[in-house]
Amino acid sequence: MGWTKVIAAESLEPNGRQVVKVGARKILLVNHENQLYAVDNTCPHLKMPMKNGKITADGAIVCPIHRSAFDLGTGEVKDWCPWPPGVGKVLSMISQQKTLPVFPVRVEEGSIWVDIQEE
């Protein structure tokens, strides 16, 4: 699919987030400390939306359902299924850790563009 213009840059305020659809994917745009990120809006563990996940000071997004944390820039797992106590351990044993897909993002001519390479 390649680079796709998704929204006007001014519509994503500092510390804001917005879900956009690019092809078949729902992409979460995040403006964290004036750095733009584009990640898949679906948690790779339980397939739940990431939009309302907490953004940590060290640049991770935390799944609002089971609290796995993923680096916004790389998608790497920072913490896998730490909660709820007892249940989190069981969930982590039956589900393999997977990175959160991330996508290149840029601002050009007042718009935010995302590069989606479909598999």
Side-chain angles (χ1 to χ4, degrees):
M1 177 169 282
W3 287 99
T4 303
K5 180 168 47 170
V6 291
I7 61 170
E10 64 189 23
S11 66
L12 188 61
E13 297 177 1
N15 300 313
R17 333 170 176 202
Q18 186 169 338
V19 176
V20 296
K21 192 163 184 186
V22 181
R25 290 187 180 267
K26 288 185 179 176
I27 305 298
L28 175 61
L29 299 174
V30 177
N31 183 345
H32 176 64
E33 297 184 357
N34 292 317
Q35 176 70 42
L36 294 179
Y37 299 94
V39 301
D40 199 308
N41 189 48
T42 305
C43 176
H45 182 224
L46 294 177
K47 309 299 182 206
M48 302 301 286
M50 296 292 288
K51 182 180 182 192
N52 294 322
K54 175 184 173 186
I55 305 291
T56 65
D58 65 346
I61 186 166
V62 180
C63 176
I65 306 301
H66 70 285
R67 298 189 185 166
S68 287
F70 305 90
D71 185 277
L72 277 171
T74 65
E76 294 298 316
V77 175
K78 293 187 126 191
D79 197 10
W80 188 254
C81 297
W83 177 89
V87 176
K89 253 187 182 173
V90 172
L91 289 175
S92 69
M93 288 187 281
I94 62 173
S95 179
Q96 180 182 15
Q97 289 188 29
K98 297 177 186 172
T99 59
L100 179 67
V102 299
F103 307 96
V105 61
R106 72 178 191 225
V107 176
E108 186 176 301
E109 297 178 0
S111 295
I112 296 176
W113 294 70
V114 177
D115 186 13
I116 304 294
Q117 298 298 320
E118 294 293 337
E119 299 169 352

